[in-house]
Structures are given as structure tokens and as C-alpha cells.
Amino acid sequence: MTIEVLFCDVDGSLVPEESEPWDWSPFSQLAETVRRHNRSGRPRIGLCTGRPQPYVEALMKTLGITLPAVCENGAILYDLRENRADFGPGVTPARMRALGKLKAMLLDRLPGEFPDIVYQVGKEAQLSLYCAQPERLDAVEPLIRAFAETEPDLDITLAKTNYYLNIDLRGVSKGSGLRAVLERLGIPREAAAFLGDSTGDLTARDAVGLFTCPANATDVVRAAADYVSPHPVTAGAIDIIKWISGR
């Protein structure tokens, strides 16, 4: 079946995850490639990321993307045309309140006990922690898990990327969000593709018919991919878009 849409992770897949300005030359090539394919209609490009809605909205406008986006690893679905953000499947008021209690605890204890770990502001239904020394993120996991055991509505999963620890509501993922978006668009699984680089992207594997990754992807993601680009990050994303359009 022809691939109609390609949904992409952002950090490590479209752009580098490091906290530094993007290299404009490859990013401008990516923007032109995405805009060209979104005009031609095959495949149209969308975003499926852990980033919050305001960040995603700005990136969609920059890249010329109008397909509904998956934000916060499936917790938020955002439609640029309608300027509407909705909670994804599995996000309930009770779970939001419990997540808010975990957020309050982390804001209270991180500065004194884990000063090198930074709470990432701006998210609604997912929490993320950043550390320039990512191995240090392991130290805070026991604190998070112990707190979750005290809250009946706080059933969570923890997933690391290169520099972040993402705290997700169990069952809320890129895969669940992507299924909801594809259903909204009326696009069957077999006509959808995904581009990702880290273990958190594997939840999208069964939501699409074609799974791809750049050369810098983790070993487990590379093993699950139908196509591994020989190029990393931005160059890999451009290569994957061209590869899908030429199939």
C-alpha cells in the first residue's frame, strides 16, 4: 500500500537533541523537503513527539505542517488549522490531578537533592526531566517510583532519551496518540509510516505499516526498523522522506 503520511519524532530524528542552536543549512533543506512533500501530498509529513504543544505549533508553522500533531508522547493532540489542543486517549482528570502531585513533589525536592536535574516546564499531561549528564537521571527514578506507589491514580512509565527522563501515564504513548490521529484522518495503519530514534518511539511501531529510523538511532530501534537511513538526524530524515516517496 502507498504510504500517505509520515509522522516524525523531533529530537534525534529531525533535529539534534542537544541544547544548542540548530545548523541552519541542513534544517533549511529539511524545511524545504517537508514543505514540498506537504504540497504534493505524498507522503504528507506530521509530527509525533514528546515536546509540548507550543513548541510543536511553532515547528509546524516553520515546516509548513498542517496534519494534526501528537505532543507530549501522546498526552496532547494538536490541530493547527483549528488551533485546538485535546487530551489524548487515557488522559483523565483523576490521572492529571495525581500527576500534578508528582510534579509538586519534584519541584520541591529536585533543587536540594538533585540540583543538576532540571524540571522541564510547559507540559500539561506528561513530565520531563533534563540532565546534561544523563546517567544521573537514574538516581531520581527510585524517588519517582516510590511516590507513584502512594497515589492510586498515578500509574506511570519512565522512559529515557539521550538527555531526558520522560514520565508518562501508563497506556498514554506516541502509539496511542498516533492511532487516534490516524483514525481522525481516516488513514489506515498500512498507509502510515513513522520516523524515530529512541526507545520511546517503539510504541509507534505497531501503529504504522512502515517504521524507519536515522543512523543515530539506538540499537533496539534499528533492529525494529523496516528501513535504517545511512545518515544521522536531519540528513537521515531527508533521506527517509525521499526513500518513502520513491517506493
Side-chain angles (χ1 to χ4, degrees):
M1 180 176 287
T2 300
I3 297 297
E4 298 181 28
V5 293
L6 167 64
F7 280 86
C8 304
D9 169 53
V10 174
D11 294 280
S13 297
L14 294 185
V15 294
E17 188 171 352
E18 289 77 12
S19 294
E20 58 186 36
W22 298 332
D23 185 339
W24 179 249
S25 178
F27 182 76
S28 62
Q29 294 177 43
L30 173 68
E32 178 52 38
T33 300
V34 171
R35 285 178 174 269
R36 183 171 62 251
H37 280 270
N38 280 339
R39 287 194 299 267
S40 67
R42 186 175 296 172
R44 296 174 67 196
I45 314 300
L47 300 180
C48 182
T49 173
R51 290 289 188 171
Q53 180 272 328
Y55 179 107
V56 174
E57 178 183 352
L59 190 57
M60 291 173 72
K61 290 178 176 178
T62 302
L63 295 176
I65 292 174
T66 57
L67 288 174
V70 178
C71 314
E72 296 188 25
N73 283 357
I76 301 289
L77 308 180
Y78 177 66
D79 191 315
L80 178 66
R81 291 188 185 277
E82 298 183 4
N83 193 26
R84 178 187 178 94
D86 298 300
F87 290 118
V91 179
T92 66
R95 301 184 85 185
M96 287 281 290
R97 287 191 294 271
L99 196 65
K101 294 179 182 179
L102 174 59
K103 172 183 175 180
M105 183 275 290
L106 289 171
L107 289 174
D108 179 57
R109 297 185 61 173
L110 286 179
E113 299 177 38
F114 305 93
D116 54 339
I117 296 178
V118 181
Y119 176 82
Q120 296 292 286
V121 301
K123 294 193 173 184
E124 296 287 336
Q126 183 211 31
L127 306 180
S128 294
L129 306 178
Y130 167 83
C131 189
Q133 297 176 303
E135 64 276 5
R136 284 281 296 138
L137 291 167
D138 294 336
V140 77
E141 287 194 23
L143 174 66
I144 295 169
R145 296 186 188 280
F147 184 87
E149 291 178 357
T150 69
E151 291 290 332
D153 292 313
L154 192 58
D155 189 9
I156 57 173
T157 60
L158 305 181
K160 288 177 64 177
T161 66
N162 290 331
Y163 295 96
Y164 293 88
L165 176 64
N166 292 320
I167 305 168
D168 302 301
L169 297 173
R170 189 176 301 278
V172 178
S173 67
K174 290 182 178 180
S176 65
L178 188 51
R179 290 185 188 92
V181 167
L182 292 175
E183 182 178 0
R184 181 184 299 181
L185 294 171
I187 295 175
R189 168 186 175 274
E190 294 77 14
F194 187 83
L195 161 61
D197 71 301
S198 64
T199 54
D201 296 318
L202 290 174
T203 63
R205 180 67 186 91
D206 292 335
V208 297
L210 186 70
F211 188 81
T212 69
C213 69
N216 57 285
T218 63
D219 290 342
V220 66
V221 172
R222 290 167 61 91
D226 299 300
Y227 175 71
V228 179
S229 172
H231 308 286
V233 198
T234 310
I238 295 171
D239 170 66
I240 287 167
I241 294 170
K242 292 179 178 178
W243 179 78
I244 290 175
S245 65
R247 291 174 76 244

